[in-house]
Amino acid sequence: MRRQWFIWMIVLCFFCSLFPNEAKAMSVSAKSAILMEQTTGRVLFEKDAHTKRRIASITKIMTAILAIESGKWEELVTVSERAVRTEGSSIYLKQGEKIELKHLVYGLMLRSGNDAAVAIAEHVGGSVEGFVFLMNEKAAEIGMTNTQFANPHGLDDAENHYSTAYDMALLMRYAMHNEQFREVSGTKLYRAPNPTEDWDRVWRNKNKLLTHLYEYCTGGKTGYTKRAKRTLVTTASKDGLELIAVTINAGDDWNDHIAMYEHGFAHYELVKIKADTIVKDIDDPFYDHHLFVARDFIYPVTKKEESLIRLERKLLRPQERWKETGVPSVVGRAELYIGNEKVDDAPIFYKQEKKKRSFFDWLLGVGSDG
């Protein structure tokens, strides 16, 4: 009996090796990690992604996007003593020098300048403390519910400065909607004028995935402190699929990101589902030929999930009072499901009938745009 059980275990292990679980087939060194699809925000892989941890210099993604959104891109910033005295990584600003905000953002993102972070904060927020308020306000707006910022650079000088892998992916997803941020994040080499010297400042991006390790990488931000350890946020794109990877406290972050990207690109593809098909050939004469959906659905799925995709339609029951008030513009929802899970939805609109203009309307100019 014991021998028979042993043989069955060997057979079972053999078949499990032939059909490995996709999620368990990949492991990462990071304490927390996540792989998110850019367009939809779908999480393709995660490991302890909602645990609050120190985040080091990936903090500067928030600093950069606030600077870009401030509308002060080409304004001159006067560098303060506080900025110059900031410890850690630096772009070696000089007290009293005047430098355009855009150059500071490049120095912040490519070389992780802590002095640049403080100079940006003071110029955009009026003070470091005022800028931190803006950081937390933006975090709440984005939906970063497990994040607290205490400075613009990520140094370990505050206990109440933390985030999660999931929240940082949300931040990067938000920032990547900004074309200026995309350009800065994806820049490998940048030259900035140096007003006190005869040579320009030349900054090479610290993101090795972008510069030479991974051909599909499109940008990101590195980070390290003694307490946070190595942190990294990057983006990558292949065949129309845009991904975001985050690792926190990782011993081998470059390879962690490559492994996550290769997993995502190998198993997922963006599919387009025509949403208007759900409002065609409706039995109800009130709605038939009067409905439309303004956008199609685009969603990342695996090959197995493609056969599980379905659309459902939910419509309001026509009301008698609509004869007086008119039919509302939104009369239902088109819902996208993968199996039993709803993954997206969009409003169903009612096409309002245009009233025909009478001769008197034309004479009086009623309904005319002119």
Side-chain angles (χ1 to χ4, degrees), residues 209-253:
L209 289 184
L210 178 69
T211 57
H212 62 278
L213 286 182
Y214 194 61
E215 63 178 310
Y216 303 113
C217 183
T218 57
K221 182 71 192 75
T222 60
Y224 174 80
T225 65
K226 289 182 179 179
R227 297 178 69 181
K229 308 303 180 187
R230 292 180 65 87
T231 63
L232 182 63
V233 178
T234 64
T235 55
S237 179
K238 181 182 179 184
D239 298 331
L241 188 63
E242 294 187 321
L243 304 179
I244 298 166
V246 181
T247 50
I248 300 177
N249 194 343
D252 191 13
D253 50 6

Side-chain angles (χ1 to χ4, degrees), residues 2-56:
R2 181 176 295 177
R3 182 181 178 184
Q4 187 178 18
W5 176 85
F6 181 71
I7 293 172
W8 275 110
M9 286 298 294
I10 293 175
V11 172
L12 180 63
C13 290
F14 172 74
F15 277 102
C16 285
S17 68
L18 292 178
F19 306 101
N21 181 288
E22 289 179 359
K24 293 181 180 178
M26 179 177 60
S27 62
V28 294
S29 70
K31 297 290 186 182
S32 292
I34 196 167
L35 180 68
M36 179 179 287
E37 195 275 321
Q38 165 76 37
T39 304
T40 63
R42 183 181 186 184
V43 175
L44 309 185
F45 170 83
E46 62 181 311
K47 175 186 176 182
D48 205 16
H50 297 277
T51 296
K52 298 174 183 177
R53 299 187 188 278
R54 293 179 176 275
I55 55 175

Side-chain angles (χ1 to χ4, degrees), residues 161-269:
H161 189 96
Y162 55 81
S163 188
T164 68
Y166 177 78
D167 278 9
M168 291 307 298
L170 289 182
L171 173 59
M172 194 61 168
R173 184 182 176 219
Y174 171 84
M176 288 294 284
H177 282 100
N178 186 291
E179 287 300 322
Q180 192 71 65
F181 179 89
R182 276 179 174 264
E183 182 179 334
V184 173
S185 180
T187 297
K188 297 179 181 180
L189 181 72
Y190 186 78
R191 292 180 178 274
N194 191 341
T196 61
E197 303 291 345
D198 295 332
W199 39 266
D200 289 340
R201 293 177 167 118
V202 179
W203 297 321
R204 288 178 173 81
N205 203 316
K206 289 185 176 183
N207 180 1
K208 293 181 180 180
L209 289 184
L210 178 69
T211 57
H212 62 278
L213 286 182
Y214 194 61
E215 63 178 310
Y216 303 113
C217 183
T218 57
K221 182 71 192 75
T222 60
Y224 174 80
T225 65
K226 289 182 179 179
R227 297 178 69 181
K229 308 303 180 187
R230 292 180 65 87
T231 63
L232 182 63
V233 178
T234 64
T235 55
S237 179
K238 181 182 179 184
D239 298 331
L241 188 63
E242 294 187 321
L243 304 179
I244 298 166
V246 181
T247 50
I248 300 177
N249 194 343
D252 191 13
D253 50 6
W254 305 123
N255 285 321
D256 284 352
H257 282 235
I258 292 173
M260 286 193 286
Y261 286 137
E262 290 298 290
H263 172 85
F265 292 136
H267 293 104
Y268 290 86
E269 63 177 343

Side-chain angles (χ1 to χ4, degrees), residues 35 39 45 54 75 77 113 128 165 186 194 279 291 312 339 341 352:
L35 180 68
T39 304
F45 170 83
R54 293 179 176 275
E75 287 188 7
V77 177
V128 170
N194 191 341
V279 295
L291 303 180
E312 285 192 7
E341 181 185 2
Q352 304 291 344

Side-chain angles (χ1 to χ4, degrees), residues 65-84:
I65 190 62
L66 287 177
I68 291 168
E69 291 182 341
S70 71
K72 301 179 178 182
W73 189 241
E74 295 185 350
E75 287 188 7
L76 284 175
V77 177
T78 302
V79 178
S80 69
E81 180 183 3
R82 182 176 183 178
V84 172

Side-chain angles (χ1 to χ4, degrees), residues 19-146:
F19 306 101
N21 181 288
E22 289 179 359
K24 293 181 180 178
M26 179 177 60
S27 62
V28 294
S29 70
K31 297 290 186 182
S32 292
I34 196 167
L35 180 68
M36 179 179 287
E37 195 275 321
Q38 165 76 37
T39 304
T40 63
R42 183 181 186 184
V43 175
L44 309 185
F45 170 83
E46 62 181 311
K47 175 186 176 182
D48 205 16
H50 297 277
T51 296
K52 298 174 183 177
R53 299 187 188 278
R54 293 179 176 275
I55 55 175
S57 285
I58 57 176
T59 296
K60 291 165 184 165
I61 296 170
M62 177 63 86
T63 303
I65 190 62
L66 287 177
I68 291 168
E69 291 182 341
S70 71
K72 301 179 178 182
W73 189 241
E74 295 185 350
E75 287 188 7
L76 284 175
V77 177
T78 302
V79 178
S80 69
E81 180 183 3
R82 182 176 183 178
V84 172
R85 290 182 175 276
T86 308
E87 64 182 34
S89 55
S90 175
I91 58 171
Y92 307 103
L93 298 171
K94 298 180 176 65
Q95 183 178 345
E97 79 165 278
K98 297 183 185 297
I99 181 172
E100 288 184 28
L101 183 68
K102 64 181 180 182
H103 300 317
L104 291 176
V105 174
Y106 276 97
L108 175 85
M109 289 293 290
L110 273 64
R111 299 306 299 171
S112 205
N114 293 333
D115 50 354
V118 172
I120 290 169
E122 291 179 328
H123 187 78
V124 174
S127 65
V128 170
E129 294 72 24
F131 189 78
V132 168
F133 174 82
L134 296 178
M135 295 174 78
N136 288 310
E137 191 175 55
K138 179 61 73 174
E141 176 190 323
I142 295 170
M144 301 171 69
T145 56
N146 290 308

